């Protein structure tokens, strides 16, 4: 068991999917990948960019047409990935490489499955290993793999005129893993929660009470060390009704996320207000903490007491 004042540490994992439109050019690029074709764009200076640019770096114009490149290419630079991370293209050690596809003048980044770092080199000839089930994503190329062929020219350009491709969407999963170390004030606050106690800190200069404690007063710039235990009751100062669903959501919309000002505190914190119709939640509503199983506040619920006067929380809006 760690020392009662030792800072708490815990893994903090943030995950979300970032979804965006591919736009007209990259939609054509991704659509071609489903047909095992790789497209580039010829710029105003005659150079072929693969993947295609959305706007010409020389003329700033969108590409007039896309042209087929590769599918084989040459490694122009690489870096070995000895311990692949979750979500990377390959589970076994591989190379990240800049690959100039035949017929292109620029290089694209992708993975090369060479087996070992000793097998990687600048100038290595590679070809795509295609995914069995194309989905219109850069991952339709599983990776590149070494091949024997000499540098050639691209398959006769069948990129042709811009095709009418409905702009698609792409989903980029974002995964951030932190080891979070709580500050001394935050540690005291978290240890207090485990005992169903709400601990804040008071500034010795302005006497404002902060909960959760920050360790310093943002107004005076001085450390806050005086601990203050606060009651479980408070007032809704502002709120919003969440109507939008998202993956992994733990409460079914509609529900209320509110700024709750604990009695005796000078700063509100965000929490859920449950236990009543969302339409009933209002500024000044009196609420009380409902404890969850893990020694934390599950949510706040209405107490049924008369609303707090606006003047009592107006300074904290
Ligand atoms: Zn202060």
């Amino acid at each position: 068991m760690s020392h009662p004042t030792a800072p708490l540490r815990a893994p903090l994992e943030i995950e979300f999917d970032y979804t965006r439109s591919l736009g007209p050019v990259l939609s054509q690029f991704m659509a071609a990948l489903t047909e095992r074709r790789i497209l580039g764009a010829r710029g105003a200076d005659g150079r072929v960019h693969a993947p295609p640019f959305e706007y010409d770096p020389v003329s700033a114009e969108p590409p007039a047409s896309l042209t087929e490149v590769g599918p084989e290419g040459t490694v122009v630079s690489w870096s070995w990935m000895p311990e692949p991370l979750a979500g990377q293209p390959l589970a076994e050690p591989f190379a990240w490489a800049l690959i100039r596809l035949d017929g292109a003048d620029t290089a694209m980044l992708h993975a090369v499955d060479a087996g070992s770092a000793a097998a990687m080199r600048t100038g290595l000839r590679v070809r795509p290993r295609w995914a069995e089930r194309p989905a219109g994503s850069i991952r339709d190329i599983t990776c590149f793999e070494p091949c024997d062929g000499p540098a050639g020219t691209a398959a006769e350009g069948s990129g042709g005129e811009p095709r009418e491709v409905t702009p698609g969407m792409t989903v980029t999963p974002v995964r951030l893993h932190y080891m979070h170390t709580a500050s001394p004030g935050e540690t005291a606050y978290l240890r207090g929660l485990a005992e169903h106690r709400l601990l804040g800190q008071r500034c010795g200069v302005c006497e404002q009470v902060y909960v959760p404690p920050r360790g310093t007063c943002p107004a005076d710039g001085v450390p806050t060390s005086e601990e203050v235990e606060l009651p479980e009751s408070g007032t809704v100062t502002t709120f919003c009704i969440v109507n939008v669903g998202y993956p992994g959501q733990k409460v079914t919309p509609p529900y209320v996320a509110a700024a709750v000002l604990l009695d005796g505190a000078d700063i509100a914190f965000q929490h859920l207000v449950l236990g009543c119709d969302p339409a009933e939640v209002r500024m000044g509503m009196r609420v009380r903490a409902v404890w969850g199983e893990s020694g934390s506040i599950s949510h706040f619920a209405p107490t049924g007491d008369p609303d707090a006067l606006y003047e009592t929380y107006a300074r904290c809006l």
Side-chain angles (χ1 to χ4, degrees):
M1 188 173 173
S2 61
H3 190 271
T5 59
L8 293 170
R9 301 184 79 219
L12 185 63
E13 304 193 354
I14 298 172
E15 302 189 349
F16 59 92
D17 287 340
Y18 181 63
T19 304
R20 74 172 184 98
S21 167
L22 286 165
V25 175
L26 290 178
S27 289
Q28 291 184 68
F29 174 76
M30 296 301 186
L33 290 181
T34 67
E35 303 164 354
R36 301 192 168 184
R37 298 159 59 233
I38 305 175
L39 299 181
R42 186 176 299 280
D45 60 359
R47 291 174 5 116
V48 174
H49 297 244
F53 52 75
E54 293 179 279
Y55 296 95
D56 190 322
V58 175
S59 69
E61 294 293 323
S65 65
L66 299 184
T67 184
E68 190 164 348
V69 297
E72 294 184 5
T74 303
V75 170
V76 296
S77 180
W78 58 278
S79 173
W80 192 245
M81 191 76 203
E83 294 176 16
L85 303 173
Q88 290 191 329
L90 296 168
E92 300 301 316
F94 67 94
W96 286 117
L98 287 171
I99 300 160
R100 187 169 55 233
L101 296 169
D102 296 343
D105 295 288
T106 64
M108 67 182 275
L109 179 71
H110 218 299
V112 175
D113 184 9
S116 71
M120 279 302 299
R121 61 183 169 81
T122 298
L124 183 70
R125 294 287 297 160
V126 292
R127 67 179 168 222
R129 182 187 299 161
W130 297 98
E132 284 183 20
R133 291 188 196 80
S137 141
I138 191 65
R139 294 204 160 188
D140 288 355
I141 302 173
T142 302
C143 63
F144 282 79
E145 58 191 18
C147 64
D148 297 330
T153 51
E156 257 319 294
S158 52
E161 294 303 306
R163 296 189 307 152
E164 282 301 318
V165 174
T166 306
M169 305 295 285
T170 189
V171 178
T172 303
V174 177
R175 309 265 185 270
L176 300 171
H177 302 275
Y178 295 96
M179 180 58 75
H180 178 69
T181 302
S183 68
E186 193 183 2
T187 293
Y189 173 75
L190 293 170
R191 290 190 190 282
L193 285 182
E195 300 169 352
H196 292 192
R197 299 166 68 216
L198 291 164
L199 300 178
Q201 286 180 339
R202 178 182 283 116
C203 170
V205 178
C206 67
E207 302 200 328
Q208 300 271 298
V209 172
Y210 300 103
V211 58
R214 268 68 172 162
T216 58
C217 174
D220 296 298
V222 297
T224 50
S225 55
E226 183 192 344
E227 199 164 84
V228 181
E229 182 161 355
L230 295 153
E232 297 176 1
S233 55
T235 300
V236 171
T237 59
T238 59
F239 66 97
C240 77
I241 300 176
V242 179
N243 287 294
V244 179
Y246 55 85
Q249 199 167 29
K250 299 219 167 74
V251 184
T252 305
Y255 61 90
V256 173
V260 175
L261 180 67
L262 291 178
D263 296 339
D266 293 291
I267 191 167
F269 60 73
Q270 293 285 325
H271 223 300
L272 298 170
V273 172
L274 305 176
C276 67
D277 189 315
E280 292 178 28
V281 176
R282 57 200 177 268
M283 293 174 74
M285 186 184 224
R286 296 286 294 155
V287 291
R288 177 176 297 280
V290 175
W291 295 94
E293 291 176 1
S294 58
S296 61
I297 298 172
S298 160
H299 60 274
F300 281 80
T303 63
D305 294 333
D307 287 1
L309 292 173
Y310 178 72
E311 293 71 28
T312 62
Y313 60 87
R315 73 187 192 290
C316 297
L317 292 177

